[in-house]
Amino acid sequence: MNVKGISAFIISMIALFTGIAPAQGQDDGEPEKKFITIEGKKLIRDGKPYHFIGTNLWYAPILGSTGEGGNRERLHKELDNLKAMGIENLRILAGADKGSTNANSVVPALQDKPGELDESLLIGLDYTLAELEKRNMTAVIYLTNSWDWSGGYGFYLRECGYGDSPNAAGEGYYEYVKYASNFVAEERALELYYNHVKAIVSRKNTITGRYYKDEPSIMAWQICNEPRPFSKDNQSKMARWLSKSAKLIKSIDSNHLVSTGSEGYYGCEANEHTCEFIHGDPNIDYLTVHVWPLNWGWASRNTPDNDIDAACQKSGEYIDMHVKMGENINKPVIIEEFGYCRRGNSNSLKADVESRDKLYAYIFERVKKSAEENGVIAGCNFWGWGGAGRPTSDEWKAGDDFLCDPPHEPQGWYSVFDCDKSTISLIKKYTKKFNK
């Protein structure tokens, strides 16, 4: 018997006679599992406060799949490039739901009918988590969407007899809002969603052989991308749904964090009380914020470069509002989406990114300052990484490269590509401050 075997034998004898079992991961043949945790307003990783610069890569599990859209070679390349930049946290979509015939939604879809999941895409999620673990990277995984570009609310409502959702893009926006407002009030739709949550969160990874609850590459589950009540009258209903969802996730997986995916104030019908209330739920671990200066009218799409200073100022004011909320509820804040266009609102990769870099630098600096001053801002995820992908037309269609710009938006609008040298240099400058 070798030394390790003798140690294991002694420990087993102690356990036999004392009734005390060895701690998991201590000489029991299982590696110690390391998860990101929360201590008050801090994220903790490896026993130390954790701050990060991350990105959005919602399409990663599609690249990791064995079916339509799968491209593991590209997935490896993107993860390696991001790791080399110091990016260690990715925000990804578990999988799209079948979209409306009225919208340009993600294909392939993970969920074609309630409970009917494409196994090749689930394997893609398994594979992505395994590849992240190899690189000591982590993921925030969102489970549905309030918008029709990945099915989301509309998928569940359609299955409950509400018909196809209107297209949320362009002139159909207000019709979509009226339609989508039914989701948080429709118990049948919510039950279908809860069933989906159970199926994903309780899954066993076919690559690692571990249940998802034991995967070290998961930082957090996220209830929804940009959950909205879509009606002032629905705020309490949304709060109940988010609370019940968080409790459900924690009942299946107590190892990982849970977050809402909310834009913050604007995702709560411009109601600070609602935003603070939903994030104060004991099963929700941190407060999320999205920052979209162009989408929200803080800068004109006609003159984005002239308006960048105003955009940064408004972004700062919006972040400050949520910092105050985080302090009130003693929880971390993560700025998990933010973006800006290229010069002149162009989608061409030839257009410079000076204005975008200015917004990025402003938000990166906010994270850095918070880390230095023991503040509540724990990290940020820019939107988003297009990497080696390249837009071939303004509108995405099946067979095109996946970019971080979802199918309903102009391709190349907010994506950062591997040829955007100034942005990559800026990212590296700040990740070096955290990855020591």
Side-chain angles (χ1 to χ4, degrees):
M1 185 181 294
N2 59 26
V3 174
K4 185 176 180 180
I6 293 171
S7 298
F9 175 76
I10 292 171
I11 290 171
S12 66
M13 290 298 100
I14 292 172
L16 178 64
F17 289 107
T18 66
I20 301 173
Q24 188 176 24
Q26 296 181 358
D27 295 320
D28 61 354
E30 287 290 328
E32 183 180 357
K33 298 181 177 68
K34 296 182 179 180
F35 305 109
I36 296 172
T37 59
I38 295 285
E39 289 184 8
K41 61 184 181 181
K42 295 180 182 178
L43 291 181
I44 303 295
R45 189 178 192 188
D46 297 330
K48 299 178 294 185
Y50 175 53
H51 296 84
F52 64 87
I53 304 295
T55 192
N56 283 265
L57 193 74
W58 61 264
Y59 55 90
I62 300 178
L63 296 184
S65 79
T66 55
E68 179 186 356
N71 186 341
R72 289 181 172 178
E73 181 179 354
R74 183 182 169 199
L75 177 63
H76 297 162
K77 182 176 182 179
E78 303 298 6
L79 296 183
D80 288 342
N81 283 345
L82 290 167
K83 181 69 176 181
M85 292 160 53
I87 298 291
E88 295 184 347
N89 182 269
L90 308 180
R91 184 167 174 263
I92 65 177
L93 173 64
D97 310 303
K98 185 177 181 180
S100 166
T101 58
N102 298 318
N104 188 21
S105 303
V106 174
V107 290
L110 170 62
Q111 188 172 205
D112 189 63
K113 295 287 290 182
E116 296 181 10
L117 306 181
D118 185 329
E119 182 64 18
S120 69
L121 288 169
L122 286 173
I123 291 172
L125 181 56
D126 294 345
Y127 188 83
T128 299
L129 292 175
E131 291 299 308
L132 290 175
E133 182 183 4
K134 290 178 183 178
R135 296 163 176 82
N136 197 32
M137 300 169 79
T138 59
V140 175
I141 306 172
Y142 53 99
L143 296 162
T144 193
N145 200 345
S146 70
W147 304 107
D148 59 1
W149 65 262
S150 68
Y153 281 16
F155 169 80
Y156 293 108
L157 288 171
R158 185 173 65 248
E159 294 300 325
C160 292
Y162 284 77
D164 248 350
S165 64
N167 188 348
E171 295 179 359
Y173 175 78
Y174 292 103
E175 285 299 312
Y176 180 80
V177 167
K178 182 179 178 181
Y179 171 92
S181 68
N182 292 294
F183 176 73
V184 296
E186 178 51 74
E187 290 300 326
R188 294 175 299 168
L190 297 181
E191 283 302 318
L192 294 177
Y193 166 80
Y194 298 140
N195 290 339
H196 182 62
V197 169
K198 293 172 189 175
I200 299 297
V201 178
S202 64
R203 180 173 170 81
K204 187 174 185 179
N205 191 317
T206 60
I207 308 296
T208 67
R210 292 188 292 256
Y211 287 98
Y212 277 3
K213 67 183 180 67
D214 295 320
E215 289 289 6
S217 58
I218 297 175
M219 179 179 113
W221 294 106
Q222 197 156 87
I223 297 166
C224 181
N225 175 58
E226 300 192 336
R228 287 190 176 193
F230 287 116
S231 164
K232 291 187 182 297
D233 295 337
N234 278 347
Q235 292 177 70
S236 62
K237 295 183 178 69
M238 182 181 74
R240 285 196 294 271
W241 165 55
L242 293 173
S243 180
K244 185 173 180 178
S245 298
K247 185 176 182 179
L248 172 63
I249 294 169
K250 289 284 191 180
S251 73
I252 301 169
D253 177 1
S254 61
N255 291 328
H256 296 116
L257 306 178
V258 173
S259 53
T260 63
S262 173
E263 299 145 280
Y265 175 77
Y266 282 133
C268 297
E269 297 296 320
N271 187 314
E272 287 186 56
H273 172 76
T274 297
C275 185
E276 187 171 314
F277 178 78
I278 64 173
H279 288 100
D281 186 281
N283 291 307
I284 292 173
D285 293 297
Y286 57 88
L287 191 151
T288 59
V289 186
H290 298 186
V291 178
W292 290 108
L294 286 172
N295 302 46
W296 294 345
W298 300 344
S300 170
R301 298 186 187 189
N302 295 323
T303 58
D305 304 290
N306 295 339
D307 297 344
I308 184 58
D309 289 338
C312 289
Q313 179 181 341
K314 284 286 190 181
S315 298
E317 292 169 0
Y318 192 71
I319 292 167
D320 287 342
M321 178 194 302
H322 295 85
V323 164
K324 183 178 178 181
M325 294 182 202
E327 290 171 344
N328 288 344
I329 61 177
N330 197 38
K331 291 184 181 182
V333 173
I334 296 178
I335 309 165
E336 62 176 18
E337 281 191 21
F338 59 95
Y340 210 74
C341 63
R342 294 171 178 271
R343 181 170 294 279
N345 202 24
S346 171
N347 299 345
S348 170
L349 272 65
K350 295 179 181 179
D352 76 48
V353 291
E354 182 179 351
S355 295
R356 173 189 292 169
D357 288 352
K358 194 163 188 176
L359 178 68
Y360 276 32
Y362 176 79
I363 292 180
F364 293 165
E365 191 65 25
R366 291 296 304 261
V367 178
K368 172 179 171 287
K369 186 177 180 181
S370 181
E372 292 170 346
E373 298 179 355
N374 196 32
V376 297
I377 302 175
C380 66
N381 299 78
F382 65 87
W383 187 288
W385 184 246
R390 294 294 182 269
T392 56
S393 61
D394 194 50
E395 183 173 317
W396 185 88
K397 59 184 182 302
D400 289 349
D401 287 344
F402 287 102
L403 311 180
C404 213
D405 303 292
H408 74 294
E409 290 187 343
Q411 296 300 286
W413 191 20
Y414 287 129
S415 287
V416 176
F417 297 97
D418 56 11
C419 58
D420 289 333
K421 294 181 180 180
S422 65
T423 307
I424 291 172
S425 177
L426 179 67
I427 292 166
K428 287 180 177 180
K429 172 185 172 182
Y430 278 90
T431 57
K432 283 180 181 178
K433 300 178 186 297
F434 299 129
N435 301 339
K436 294 179 181 180

